[in-house]
Every structure is written in structure tokens, then in C-alpha cells.
Amino acid sequence: MKIEIRRSPVKYARIEVKPDGRVVVTAPEGFNVEEFIAKNAAWLEGKLAQIEDLKELAESGFPLNGEFYKVVHGRRAKVHDRFKTVVLPPYPEDMREELKRLLRPKLVELIEKYAGKMGVSPSKIFIRSQRTRWGSCSGKGNLNFNLRLIALPPELREYVVVHELAHLKHRNHSRAFWSFVSRFYPNYRSAREELKKWWSILELNPYWRWLEGRV
């Protein structure tokens, strides 16, 4: 178990299990961290067991559209949907560009499907390699989407698009925001849970680590 202890002037100690399996404890000076970990041992073991299961899945191939493609190495980046194969080039930036090319029309199609129904008009659409979120909406009405969305099952990608479009109406995560989201994606709660699982998979996947320069 990898444990990182962060001392901070917080009122209460807290413990987190990161998507890559790291355990982070934030506690004030003088707090008995060992005792705190012991009290939460059962919960920790359950969380780490879940991540271990996801690790086995994450290492089974290159995640694309909710599936795991076989990886071969070649000179040019290429995705063969028919054969469920990904050709990895020597440089990660080439693969990122290919994935962006594949992701953009999928996002545009979803935005065109929902924007009119939701009564919103986004400005520009950007695809970036982000390390903390699936997407975001700027004050100028621009939508930013994480390249990681290409790895998700289509229904989860759809939820992220609905979520970000909803921010054009409601800038925060208020009750009104979630009510608005539920009108167009009723199963948003289960989607949010599934997204946590997929974030862990991508944190653990060796090919996405390479893509994002985390090797």
C-alpha cells in the first residue's frame, strides 16, 4: 500500500484512494495517522481491491469506445475498428492527433443532437489532454473536451456532452443544473459512477500513460 501523508491545518483528517491506487491522508500536525489508517482498514482494502480488479482490465489492451483493442507498433498511427486493432507510432503526439481526428466528429454529432433540444448554442469546441476532468465550459461559451473521451463507451461520452451543454444554461452544479441534465440524460447518476471507473482504467492503462507522458 502506497501511502502519502500530507500535513495541513485542516479541522478533520481525511483519507482518499486515488485512481492509480495511491492512498493520500491529509491530517493536521500531531494527528495519529497510523491509528486513523487502522480504523479505516476495511474500507481501504475494499477500495484497493476494486482498483486491483480494474488494473487487470486496464492492462488488457488499448481502450477505445468502451472496448479494448489489440496493440501493434508501426510507423503511422491507425485505428482498425474492423479488427479491433490500434497501431501505435513511435511518438505519442502522432497518436494523440489521430485520436483527436476520430473524436471530433463524434462530439460534433452529439452536440448537434442535443444543443437545439436544450436551447443552447456553444461557441468553439476544443479537444485537449486534460488531467483532472472530462470536460469544461468557459465563460465565453466554449466547450473543452478531454481526449480521454475517445476511450469511453458511447453512452458515457453522450452524458459528458449533455453535462457540458447544460453548463451553458447553469454555470454551477446547482439543483437546477442537475434537474436540467436529468431531462436529457435521466441516468446521469449511474453515468457519473461509471466515469469514475473509467478514469481509474485510463490512469492505470500503460498506453494512455504513454500517450499522456506519464511513463
Side-chain angles (χ1 to χ4, degrees), residues 28-58:
E29 290 292 340
F31 184 84
N32 191 328
V33 172
E34 290 185 5
E35 184 178 324
F36 184 57
I37 291 172
K39 285 182 179 179
N40 290 277
W43 177 83
L44 269 176
E45 288 172 5
K47 282 287 186 182
L48 291 172
Q50 290 175 11
I51 289 176
E52 194 60 32
D53 290 341
L54 289 177
K55 184 177 180 182
E56 184 176 349
L57 179 62

mmCIF file of all heavy atoms in Angstrom, residues 28-58:
data_model
loop_
_atom_site.group_PDB
_atom_site.id
_atom_site.type_symbol
_atom_site.label_atom_id
_atom_site.label_comp_id
_atom_site.label_asym_id
_atom_site.label_seq_id
_atom_site.Cartn_x
_atom_site.Cartn_y
_atom_site.Cartn_z
ATOM 1 N N PRO A 28 -3.920 17.172 10.246
ATOM 2 C CA PRO A 28 -3.184 18.248 10.921
ATOM 3 C C PRO A 28 -1.933 17.709 11.613
ATOM 4 O O PRO A 28 -1.793 16.496 11.828
ATOM 5 C CB PRO A 28 -4.203 18.779 11.931
ATOM 6 C CG PRO A 28 -5.113 17.629 12.188
ATOM 7 C CD PRO A 28 -5.194 16.858 10.900
ATOM 8 N N GLU A 29 -1.035 18.598 11.966
ATOM 9 C CA GLU A 29 0.176 18.216 12.693
ATOM 10 C C GLU A 29 -0.187 17.539 14.010
ATOM 11 O O GLU A 29 -1.116 17.938 14.706
ATOM 12 C CB GLU A 29 1.038 19.457 12.972
ATOM 13 C CG GLU A 29 1.687 20.070 11.745
ATOM 14 C CD GLU A 29 2.758 19.190 11.140
ATOM 15 O OE1 GLU A 29 3.260 18.291 11.859
ATOM 16 O OE2 GLU A 29 3.082 19.384 9.948
ATOM 17 N N GLY A 30 0.555 16.467 14.314
ATOM 18 C CA GLY A 30 0.341 15.768 15.569
ATOM 19 C C GLY A 30 -0.748 14.710 15.525
ATOM 20 O O GLY A 30 -0.928 13.963 16.486
ATOM 21 N N PHE A 31 -1.475 14.641 14.430
ATOM 22 C CA PHE A 31 -2.567 13.658 14.316
ATOM 23 C C PHE A 31 -1.969 12.263 14.118
ATOM 24 O O PHE A 31 -1.017 12.070 13.364
ATOM 25 C CB PHE A 31 -3.459 14.023 13.136
ATOM 26 C CG PHE A 31 -4.667 13.151 12.982
ATOM 27 C CD1 PHE A 31 -5.816 13.399 13.703
ATOM 28 C CD2 PHE A 31 -4.650 12.062 12.110
ATOM 29 C CE1 PHE A 31 -6.935 12.583 13.562
ATOM 30 C CE2 PHE A 31 -5.756 11.255 11.956
ATOM 31 C CZ PHE A 31 -6.905 11.513 12.687
ATOM 32 N N ASN A 32 -2.580 11.265 14.772
ATOM 33 C CA ASN A 32 -2.098 9.884 14.690
ATOM 34 C C ASN A 32 -2.602 9.234 13.397
ATOM 35 O O ASN A 32 -3.713 8.704 13.353
ATOM 36 C CB ASN A 32 -2.563 9.091 15.920
ATOM 37 C CG ASN A 32 -1.870 7.746 16.010
ATOM 38 O OD1 ASN A 32 -1.536 7.115 15.008
ATOM 39 N ND2 ASN A 32 -1.641 7.295 17.244
ATOM 40 N N VAL A 33 -1.769 9.290 12.386
ATOM 41 C CA VAL A 33 -2.169 8.782 11.075
ATOM 42 C C VAL A 33 -2.266 7.261 11.066
ATOM 43 O O VAL A 33 -3.176 6.682 10.471
ATOM 44 C CB VAL A 33 -1.176 9.266 9.988
ATOM 45 C CG1 VAL A 33 -1.469 8.587 8.656
ATOM 46 C CG2 VAL A 33 -1.252 10.778 9.844
ATOM 47 N N GLU A 34 -1.350 6.577 11.736
ATOM 48 C CA GLU A 34 -1.359 5.109 11.756
ATOM 49 C C GLU A 34 -2.664 4.580 12.344
ATOM 50 O O GLU A 34 -3.253 3.631 11.821
ATOM 51 C CB GLU A 34 -0.158 4.591 12.546
ATOM 52 C CG GLU A 34 1.177 4.808 11.846
ATOM 53 C CD GLU A 34 2.326 4.177 12.613
ATOM 54 O OE1 GLU A 34 2.058 3.487 13.629
ATOM 55 O OE2 GLU A 34 3.483 4.366 12.198
ATOM 56 N N GLU A 35 -3.104 5.188 13.425
ATOM 57 C CA GLU A 35 -4.363 4.767 14.050
ATOM 58 C C GLU A 35 -5.541 5.052 13.124
ATOM 59 O O GLU A 35 -6.472 4.244 13.019
ATOM 60 C CB GLU A 35 -4.544 5.511 15.371
ATOM 61 C CG GLU A 35 -5.773 5.087 16.163
ATOM 62 C CD GLU A 35 -5.889 5.814 17.489
ATOM 63 O OE1 GLU A 35 -4.839 6.086 18.114
ATOM 64 O OE2 GLU A 35 -7.032 6.123 17.884
ATOM 65 N N PHE A 36 -5.493 6.184 12.443
ATOM 66 C CA PHE A 36 -6.553 6.572 11.511
ATOM 67 C C PHE A 36 -6.654 5.562 10.370
ATOM 68 O O PHE A 36 -7.746 5.139 9.978
ATOM 69 C CB PHE A 36 -6.246 7.971 10.971
ATOM 70 C CG PHE A 36 -7.304 8.545 10.072
ATOM 71 C CD1 PHE A 36 -8.615 8.690 10.493
ATOM 72 C CD2 PHE A 36 -6.971 8.964 8.784
ATOM 73 C CE1 PHE A 36 -9.581 9.235 9.668
ATOM 74 C CE2 PHE A 36 -7.931 9.509 7.950
ATOM 75 C CZ PHE A 36 -9.241 9.648 8.385
ATOM 76 N N ILE A 37 -5.507 5.143 9.843
ATOM 77 C CA ILE A 37 -5.480 4.152 8.757
ATOM 78 C C ILE A 37 -6.017 2.814 9.254
ATOM 79 O O ILE A 37 -6.781 2.135 8.558
ATOM 80 C CB ILE A 37 -4.056 4.012 8.196
ATOM 81 C CG1 ILE A 37 -3.663 5.293 7.455
ATOM 82 C CG2 ILE A 37 -3.957 2.805 7.264
ATOM 83 C CD1 ILE A 37 -2.211 5.331 7.028
ATOM 84 N N ALA A 38 -5.622 2.438 10.462
ATOM 85 C CA ALA A 38 -6.086 1.162 11.030
ATOM 86 C C ALA A 38 -7.608 1.144 11.180
ATOM 87 O O ALA A 38 -8.255 0.128 10.903
ATOM 88 C CB ALA A 38 -5.417 0.927 12.384
ATOM 89 N N LYS A 39 -8.196 2.266 11.597
ATOM 90 C CA LYS A 39 -9.649 2.346 11.765
ATOM 91 C C LYS A 39 -10.379 2.220 10.432
ATOM 92 O O LYS A 39 -11.524 1.771 10.368
ATOM 93 C CB LYS A 39 -10.020 3.674 12.430
ATOM 94 C CG LYS A 39 -9.710 3.737 13.915
ATOM 95 C CD LYS A 39 -10.140 5.068 14.506
ATOM 96 C CE LYS A 39 -9.867 5.135 15.991
ATOM 97 N NZ LYS A 39 -10.254 6.453 16.574
ATOM 98 N N ASN A 40 -9.708 2.661 9.360
ATOM 99 C CA ASN A 40 -10.328 2.632 8.033
ATOM 100 C C ASN A 40 -9.810 1.492 7.167
ATOM 101 O O ASN A 40 -9.991 1.502 5.945
ATOM 102 C CB ASN A 40 -10.080 3.968 7.323
ATOM 103 C CG ASN A 40 -10.848 5.114 7.938
ATOM 104 O OD1 ASN A 40 -12.023 5.330 7.653
ATOM 105 N ND2 ASN A 40 -10.179 5.870 8.813
ATOM 106 N N ALA A 41 -9.179 0.514 7.796
ATOM 107 C CA ALA A 41 -8.523 -0.562 7.055
ATOM 108 C C ALA A 41 -9.493 -1.338 6.155
ATOM 109 O O ALA A 41 -9.186 -1.629 4.994
ATOM 110 C CB ALA A 41 -7.820 -1.507 8.020
ATOM 111 N N ALA A 42 -10.667 -1.682 6.676
ATOM 112 C CA ALA A 42 -11.622 -2.469 5.895
ATOM 113 C C ALA A 42 -12.076 -1.702 4.650
ATOM 114 O O ALA A 42 -12.145 -2.260 3.552
ATOM 115 C CB ALA A 42 -12.825 -2.851 6.756
ATOM 116 N N TRP A 43 -12.382 -0.430 4.842
ATOM 117 C CA TRP A 43 -12.796 0.411 3.703
ATOM 118 C C TRP A 43 -11.669 0.533 2.677
ATOM 119 O O TRP A 43 -11.893 0.416 1.470
ATOM 120 C CB TRP A 43 -13.195 1.787 4.216
ATOM 121 C CG TRP A 43 -13.566 2.755 3.136
ATOM 122 C CD1 TRP A 43 -14.781 2.868 2.509
ATOM 123 C CD2 TRP A 43 -12.720 3.757 2.537
ATOM 124 N NE1 TRP A 43 -14.744 3.873 1.557
ATOM 125 C CE2 TRP A 43 -13.487 4.433 1.563
ATOM 126 C CE3 TRP A 43 -11.396 4.134 2.742
ATOM 127 C CZ2 TRP A 43 -12.970 5.466 0.782
ATOM 128 C CZ3 TRP A 43 -10.868 5.171 1.966
ATOM 129 C CH2 TRP A 43 -11.657 5.822 1.004
ATOM 130 N N LEU A 44 -10.444 0.729 3.180
ATOM 131 C CA LEU A 44 -9.286 0.856 2.298
ATOM 132 C C LEU A 44 -9.060 -0.417 1.490
ATOM 133 O O LEU A 44 -8.810 -0.367 0.288
ATOM 134 C CB LEU A 44 -8.028 1.153 3.124
ATOM 135 C CG LEU A 44 -7.668 2.608 3.377
ATOM 136 C CD1 LEU A 44 -6.452 2.695 4.277
ATOM 137 C CD2 LEU A 44 -7.413 3.320 2.057
ATOM 138 N N GLU A 45 -9.141 -1.548 2.161
ATOM 139 C CA GLU A 45 -8.921 -2.828 1.479
ATOM 140 C C GLU A 45 -9.939 -3.037 0.368
ATOM 141 O O GLU A 45 -9.608 -3.534 -0.712
ATOM 142 C CB GLU A 45 -8.976 -3.975 2.488
ATOM 143 C CG GLU A 45 -7.758 -4.029 3.400
ATOM 144 C CD GLU A 45 -7.915 -5.037 4.511
ATOM 145 O OE1 GLU A 45 -8.945 -5.766 4.519
ATOM 146 O OE2 GLU A 45 -7.034 -5.113 5.379
ATOM 147 N N GLY A 46 -11.204 -2.647 0.625
ATOM 148 C CA GLY A 46 -12.234 -2.773 -0.403
ATOM 149 C C GLY A 46 -11.958 -1.891 -1.604
ATOM 150 O O GLY A 46 -12.083 -2.330 -2.752
ATOM 151 N N LYS A 47 -11.560 -0.640 -1.353
ATOM 152 C CA LYS A 47 -11.247 0.291 -2.437
ATOM 153 C C LYS A 47 -10.058 -0.193 -3.259
ATOM 154 O O LYS A 47 -10.061 -0.143 -4.497
ATOM 155 C CB LYS A 47 -10.946 1.676 -1.867
ATOM 156 C CG LYS A 47 -12.173 2.463 -1.465
ATOM 157 C CD LYS A 47 -12.911 2.951 -2.690
ATOM 158 C CE LYS A 47 -14.056 3.861 -2.344
ATOM 159 N NZ LYS A 47 -14.812 4.304 -3.536
ATOM 160 N N LEU A 48 -9.025 -0.661 -2.572
ATOM 161 C CA LEU A 48 -7.818 -1.123 -3.271
ATOM 162 C C LEU A 48 -8.086 -2.409 -4.054
ATOM 163 O O LEU A 48 -7.508 -2.629 -5.121
ATOM 164 C CB LEU A 48 -6.685 -1.327 -2.267
ATOM 165 C CG LEU A 48 -6.150 -0.032 -1.642
ATOM 166 C CD1 LEU A 48 -5.178 -0.340 -0.514
ATOM 167 C CD2 LEU A 48 -5.482 0.843 -2.697
ATOM 168 N N ALA A 49 -8.986 -3.240 -3.545
ATOM 169 C CA ALA A 49 -9.356 -4.452 -4.279
ATOM 170 C C ALA A 49 -10.079 -4.101 -5.573
ATOM 171 O O ALA A 49 -9.856 -4.730 -6.622
ATOM 172 C CB ALA A 49 -10.242 -5.343 -3.405
ATOM 173 N N GLN A 50 -10.939 -3.078 -5.511
ATOM 174 C CA GLN A 50 -11.620 -2.612 -6.731
ATOM 175 C C GLN A 50 -10.619 -2.128 -7.770
ATOM 176 O O GLN A 50 -10.733 -2.439 -8.956
ATOM 177 C CB GLN A 50 -12.586 -1.485 -6.382
ATOM 178 C CG GLN A 50 -13.805 -1.898 -5.587
ATOM 179 C CD GLN A 50 -14.659 -0.708 -5.179
ATOM 180 O OE1 GLN A 50 -14.472 0.410 -5.653
ATOM 181 N NE2 GLN A 50 -15.600 -0.937 -4.274
ATOM 182 N N ILE A 51 -9.629 -1.355 -7.319
ATOM 183 C CA ILE A 51 -8.625 -0.827 -8.237
ATOM 184 C C ILE A 51 -7.774 -1.953 -8.823
ATOM 185 O O ILE A 51 -7.407 -1.926 -10.000
ATOM 186 C CB ILE A 51 -7.754 0.221 -7.528
ATOM 187 C CG1 ILE A 51 -8.593 1.479 -7.283
ATOM 188 C CG2 ILE A 51 -6.499 0.556 -8.332
ATOM 189 C CD1 ILE A 51 -7.899 2.558 -6.501
ATOM 190 N N GLU A 52 -7.486 -2.972 -8.005
ATOM 191 C CA GLU A 52 -6.704 -4.109 -8.499
ATOM 192 C C GLU A 52 -7.461 -4.835 -9.606
ATOM 193 O O GLU A 52 -6.872 -5.255 -10.614
ATOM 194 C CB GLU A 52 -6.394 -5.069 -7.349
ATOM 195 C CG GLU A 52 -5.316 -6.086 -7.663
ATOM 196 C CD GLU A 52 -3.976 -5.464 -8.017
ATOM 197 O OE1 GLU A 52 -3.652 -4.386 -7.478
ATOM 198 O OE2 GLU A 52 -3.254 -6.057 -8.850
ATOM 199 N N ASP A 53 -8.782 -4.966 -9.442
ATOM 200 C CA ASP A 53 -9.603 -5.584 -10.493
ATOM 201 C C ASP A 53 -9.579 -4.745 -11.759
ATOM 202 O O ASP A 53 -9.494 -5.266 -12.876
ATOM 203 C CB ASP A 53 -11.047 -5.753 -10.016
ATOM 204 C CG ASP A 53 -11.188 -6.815 -8.936
ATOM 205 O OD1 ASP A 53 -10.274 -7.653 -8.810
ATOM 206 O OD2 ASP A 53 -12.195 -6.802 -8.213
ATOM 207 N N LEU A 54 -9.663 -3.421 -11.594
ATOM 208 C CA LEU A 54 -9.636 -2.522 -12.746
ATOM 209 C C LEU A 54 -8.265 -2.541 -13.430
ATOM 210 O O LEU A 54 -8.177 -2.386 -14.652
ATOM 211 C CB LEU A 54 -9.974 -1.089 -12.317
ATOM 212 C CG LEU A 54 -11.418 -0.824 -11.906
ATOM 213 C CD1 LEU A 54 -11.580 0.617 -11.447
ATOM 214 C CD2 LEU A 54 -12.377 -1.117 -13.062
ATOM 215 N N LYS A 55 -7.224 -2.741 -12.645
ATOM 216 C CA LYS A 55 -5.874 -2.780 -13.210
ATOM 217 C C LYS A 55 -5.729 -3.936 -14.197
ATOM 218 O O LYS A 55 -5.140 -3.781 -15.274
ATOM 219 C CB LYS A 55 -4.837 -2.913 -12.089
ATOM 220 C CG LYS A 55 -3.407 -2.851 -12.586
ATOM 221 C CD LYS A 55 -2.416 -2.925 -11.429
ATOM 222 C CE LYS A 55 -0.985 -2.858 -11.946
ATOM 223 N NZ LYS A 55 0.005 -2.972 -10.840
ATOM 224 N N GLU A 56 -6.286 -5.082 -13.835
ATOM 225 C CA GLU A 56 -6.229 -6.238 -14.734
ATOM 226 C C GLU A 56 -6.957 -5.936 -16.036
ATOM 227 O O GLU A 56 -6.481 -6.252 -17.131
ATOM 228 C CB GLU A 56 -6.850 -7.461 -14.046
ATOM 229 C CG GLU A 56 -6.752 -8.732 -14.866
ATOM 230 C CD GLU A 56 -7.288 -9.941 -14.128
ATOM 231 O OE1 GLU A 56 -7.546 -9.842 -12.912
ATOM 232 O OE2 GLU A 56 -7.461 -10.990 -14.780
ATOM 233 N N LEU A 57 -8.113 -5.278 -15.928
ATOM 234 C CA LEU A 57 -8.872 -4.888 -17.118
ATOM 235 C C LEU A 57 -8.108 -3.836 -17.919
ATOM 236 O O LEU A 57 -8.027 -3.916 -19.150
ATOM 237 C CB LEU A 57 -10.238 -4.341 -16.702
ATOM 238 C CG LEU A 57 -11.178 -3.855 -17.799
ATOM 239 C CD1 LEU A 57 -11.547 -5.004 -18.735
ATOM 240 C CD2 LEU A 57 -12.425 -3.227 -17.200
ATOM 241 N N ALA A 58 -7.525 -2.872 -17.213
ATOM 242 C CA ALA A 58 -6.819 -1.769 -17.875
ATOM 243 C C ALA A 58 -5.628 -2.238 -18.688
ATOM 244 O O ALA A 58 -5.254 -1.609 -19.685
ATOM 245 C CB ALA A 58 -6.363 -0.749 -16.827
#
